[in-house]
Amino acid sequence: MPLNSRSRAITEGVQRAPNRSMLRAVGFEDADFQKPIVGISNAHSTITPCNMGIGALAARAEVALREAGAMPQVFGTITVSDGISMGTEGMKYSLVSREVIADSIETATMAQSMDGVLTIGGCDKNMPGAMIALARMNIPAVFVYGGTIKPGKYRGKDLTVVSVFEAVGAHAAHKMDDEELHGIECNAIPGAGSCGGMYTANTMSSAFEVMGMSLPYSSTMASEDEEKALSTEESARVLYDCIVHQRLPRQILTRKAFENAIMVNMAVGGSTNAVLHLLAIAHAAEVPLTIDDFEEIRLRVPVLCDLKPSGKYVAYDLHHAGGIPQVMKMLLNHGLLHGDCLTITGKTIAETLADVPDEPSPNQDVIRQWDNPMYSQGHLAILKGNLAEEGCVAKITGVKSPKITGPARVFESEEESLDAILAGKIVPGDVLVIRYEGPKGGPGMREMLAPTSAIIGQGLGDSVGLITDGRFSGGTYGLVVGHVAPEAAVGGTIALVEEGDSITIDAETLTLSLNVAPEILAARRAAWRPRPPRYTRGVLAKYAKLVSSASVGAVTD
């Protein structure tokens, strides 16, 4: 195909001889200068098992693009292992990495005037980081998920990374001995791939498949299976076709596509982080989307899948039960999915799902039949109240009681709260408050997986509440409320809570309330002063200066 204006900018004309000379050094020959230049952005890394298989996928995509008639150029981007950094100061860099990934993909792609880009990601922030970049640039693009991990096995039970965090809590409560803890640690992560439950990585890969930016079935494939490599090759060929026909991300990432993603996220029991990331991607795509849209959609969509963290199965099981297309077909048949949305293949969602069975196989129970859902309404609720005027996000399924009123146990950091939990200082009825962990205050909005897993491990999951201006891992469950906004660092009401104050979390009325008289709150607010920034130089300092509220996606532009 002839070059478009992007490649032509660096390859055509006598004045471009130095540019061509540079490209000859990386393998271009005379005829290649008439082919589209296509980037392969990949987050290959041995930092985390989530990403250690991506290099091989990039190599398969490179061959497929070359065979299709393009000139591929491979470049890398970063990743952060949430599982390894969890519970440490390093976790503050996790959400920050979403912006670094987006900026790096945009920088390399636009600087080299590429005609299209294939992005391959694994760990949690790879997906939204890549999609933010693709939405900004709006050149032909396809997202490839590096693949999920297969479940670990120990003493006849399936394990995920969350199993280890919960085992730490059980061990601290003397409910598990050293041998069992060590056994779980050694067997939970069996190989390459992203964390296996419907945690954040699998949630976002599923969302991108639903939105039409990834191939059908690709979001639940295992990293180590050959079908993942074959799907990557097909993704490369589809990208070439997108370049030929100029199918662009913003033609696909429409308001209806975001609504579809939210619907399926509710149906599969996905991560609270989907709220944050979809808001950020919509911002990049200039699509109107608010936190209230999630609540409106939640009321219409049942939870159809029995998946971890609160269920039994992992994404690998979902794949073999029919995958995301099966869930989509059920929603489409019941008038809940927009079938007219375009996908990267050029087909609509309805055309893509035409051959998918109307109902899941009765010989499995990963995907429930429509008339027997896990829950009649979605699991991610948006709560508001005097403790969260801009809103917050709660997982309300899988808990015995959707309401708790109790005394506040106030902690100024995740570490303080974890020490108290492991020391047995938290009792049934308590409501933990972990603050100054928001986008600005952390900075970086750490995930509170260590405290919530310790609570579960100690048997307090149904009797203790937790609220934070930080985030939760996709592996978190229990009566927990995150993304509280405004955050403490900007003077949100969460900054005014004192030890012993009465707090109510009520998922039935969708409220989060500090039960303190208005005049007392007014006096506390008058006395409150912002804290000096925890970081004054480097990426965390820059992030804290730029980042918005979690209620609009914690965006930096």
Side-chain angles (χ1 to χ4, degrees), residues 63 85 150 170 179 258 266 280 318 379 387 454 482 490 493 533 540 555:
V63 172
S85 62
K150 295 180 180 180
E179 180 185 358
F258 280 96
M266 296 295 178
L318 173 62
H379 63 302
L387 250 178
V490 299
T493 305
L540 292 182
V555 297

Side-chain angles (χ1 to χ4, degrees), residues 200-410:
T200 303
N202 286 325
T203 294
M204 296 313 299
S205 69
S206 298
F208 293 173
E209 179 180 327
V210 174
M211 296 171 87
M213 289 298 296
S214 297
L215 290 182
Y217 298 100
S218 65
S219 67
T220 52
M221 292 176 178
S223 174
E224 297 180 327
D225 286 351
E226 176 65 10
E227 67 173 346
K228 170 50 65 178
L230 295 174
S231 176
T232 302
E233 292 175 348
E234 179 60 20
S235 297
R237 291 187 284 268
V238 167
L239 174 57
Y240 185 83
D241 190 64
C242 286
I243 295 170
V244 171
H245 294 95
Q246 285 298 289
R247 282 193 294 276
L248 305 178
R250 292 198 186 187
Q251 295 172 305
I252 297 168
L253 297 173
T254 63
R255 164 74 190 207
K256 286 183 177 180
F258 280 96
E259 290 180 358
N260 284 349
I262 296 170
M263 289 179 200
V264 173
N265 183 52
M266 296 295 178
V268 300
S271 168
T272 54
N273 284 313
V275 178
L276 195 74
H277 297 324
L278 289 174
L279 287 171
I281 297 163
H283 174 79
E286 299 184 275
V287 170
L289 189 72
T290 73
I291 194 170
D292 295 323
D293 292 320
F294 290 81
E295 180 59 33
E296 189 276 327
I297 292 172
R298 178 186 76 83
L299 298 173
R300 297 187 276 125
V301 182
V303 179
L304 296 171
C305 298
D306 188 6
L307 296 170
K308 292 180 182 294
S310 57
K312 292 188 294 186
Y313 298 104
V314 295
Y316 184 71
D317 300 313
L318 173 62
H319 186 65
H320 292 283
I324 293 300
Q326 181 64 78
V327 178
M328 293 174 68
K329 185 63 174 284
M330 295 168 72
L331 294 172
L332 180 68
N333 286 346
H334 289 84
L336 292 174
L337 208 68
H338 302 293
D340 57 340
C341 290
L342 181 68
T343 74
I344 50 172
T345 65
K347 294 182 179 180
T348 65
I349 291 291
E351 291 168 339
T352 301
L353 300 175
D355 296 330
V356 176
D358 288 333
E359 297 293 337
S361 168
N363 299 319
Q364 56 79 46
D365 59 352
V366 182
I367 306 173
R368 296 286 194 94
Q369 302 298 318
W370 185 264
D371 59 0
N372 183 34
M374 294 289 294
Y375 305 98
S376 61
Q377 293 180 326
H379 63 302
L380 297 183
I382 305 303
L383 278 56
K384 292 189 176 181
N386 70 341
L387 250 178
E389 293 93 339
E390 294 177 12
C392 56
V393 185
K395 259 186 185 176
I396 63 173
T397 54
V399 295
K400 290 183 179 179
S401 173
K403 180 178 179 178
I404 185 173
T405 296
R409 303 298 308 278
V410 182

